[in-house]
Amino acid sequence: MLTVHHLENSRSQRVLWLLEELRLPYDVKHYKRDANYLAPTELKKIHPLGKAPVIVTDEGEVIAETGAIMDYILHTYDGTGLIPQPKTRARNAFTYWMFYAEGSAMQPLLLKLVVDRIRTKTPLLARPIASRIAEKIEELMVRPNLQANIDFWEKTLTDHEWFAGDEFTAADIMMSFPVEAAAARAGAGDRPHVRAWLDRIHARPAYGRALERGGPYAYA
Ligand SMILES: N[C@@H](CCC(=O)N[C@@H](CS)C(=O)NCC(=O)O)C(=O)O
């Protein structure tokens, strides 16, 4: 049976959700974050980068990277209901959001995380200067970028109910982590169409079942 190596409060929640949407059987190996919010070194025994998610397929193949895992699951099992027909606008949009989620959306969010850590983790004596540097980085590189991305999501979800068009697809699953993280850290949930989309995904039975299998997930 397919095994998901799942880190609490992380991107790997999406893999559980996809498997639940497809009603596939799977095992979950749970990992807890350490005191620095990193993955435990144990995950490096599964994949050299030691990040989540990682899956081990029925054939014993190890696959990392959320997009690659989603692609494998969608094409190995019957994921056609979650992928728009080829050669359609919806399919092009689907491919775009599948790549965009990790390739572009996560960058300003990670930068924000780093800036917040500089503010809170710098030793007390150096904190005033560190905070000024953090503020400058945030002003120049983080806030405008995050706002542009959130505006883009709001516009997309104003035009259509789902990211790739009028139907729910795996691109919505892929986009859940950046949007949920931006709702938690950058106010994305205050935008009406982003909020409505978040409410729609959270109401899906498969999303609920994935939460039950996954354990702690701070972004739902
Ligand atoms: N682009 C990769 C990112 C993997 C990644 O950074 N995963 C995070 C989970 S949110 C992680 O393992 N963080 C713990 C760490 O870096 O030690 C993917 O989508 O799989």
Side-chain angles (χ1 to χ4, degrees):
M1 195 184 297
L2 191 147
T3 301
V4 183
H5 292 268
H6 170 65
L7 180 65
E8 62 180 357
N9 291 317
S10 87
R11 286 163 164 88
S12 47
Q13 190 63 38
R14 291 178 293 194
V15 175
L16 306 184
W17 180 17
L18 173 63
L19 289 163
E20 291 292 343
E21 288 285 349
L22 297 176
R23 292 227 171 245
L24 292 168
Y26 60 96
D27 280 332
V28 185
K29 172 99 177 64
H30 293 268
Y31 297 83
K32 289 199 178 308
R33 290 182 181 270
D34 68 13
N36 294 316
Y37 212 61
L38 296 174
T41 48
E42 218 188 325
L43 247 177
K44 286 211 169 80
K45 291 184 195 143
I46 312 299
H47 185 275
L49 298 184
K51 309 269 182 203
V54 177
I55 63 163
V56 181
T57 69
D58 289 346
E59 289 74 33
E61 190 181 349
V62 175
I63 304 179
E65 197 61 48
T66 316
I69 294 170
M70 304 260 296
D71 191 76
Y72 170 83
I73 293 170
L74 287 165
H75 291 101
T76 304
Y77 305 98
D78 190 11
T80 45
L82 296 178
I83 311 173
Q85 290 297 311
K87 299 183 184 166
T88 60
R89 274 175 186 259
R91 177 58 165 265
N92 297 339
F94 167 85
T95 305
Y96 173 78
W97 293 110
M98 290 295 286
F99 282 88
Y100 162 90
E102 285 295 320
S104 294
M106 287 309 295
Q107 287 176 21
L109 284 161
L110 282 174
L111 205 50
K112 168 128 184 67
L113 196 68
V114 171
V115 163
D116 290 345
R117 293 271 156 92
I118 291 173
R119 285 201 181 95
T120 54
K121 303 275 177 194
T122 305
L124 225 45
L125 269 178
R127 212 168 276 180
I129 182 80
S131 290
R132 282 212 289 282
I133 295 169
E135 180 52 35
K136 203 71 202 162
I137 298 172
E138 189 154 26
E139 179 193 320
L140 293 177
M141 298 168 76
V142 181
R143 248 179 260 134
N145 229 324
L146 264 176
Q147 286 319 307
N149 280 270
I150 295 170
D151 288 347
F152 181 36
W153 307 340
E154 179 66 8
K155 165 86 177 73
T156 302
L157 296 169
T158 304
D159 295 345
H160 303 282
E161 212 167 309
W162 304 102
F163 271 100
D166 297 327
E167 306 290 334
F168 173 79
T169 69
D172 294 290
I173 301 178
M174 195 66 189
M175 280 299 292
S176 60
F177 190 73
V179 179
E180 288 174 328
R185 294 181 210 148
D190 299 338
R191 304 297 180 90
H193 291 90
V194 171
R195 178 73 263 159
W197 177 85
L198 283 168
D199 293 344
R200 276 197 296 282
I201 64 167
H202 292 161
R204 292 183 74 85
Y207 186 99
R209 292 197 299 275
L211 281 185
E212 277 168 30
R213 289 293 303 268
Y217 184 64
Y219 304 100

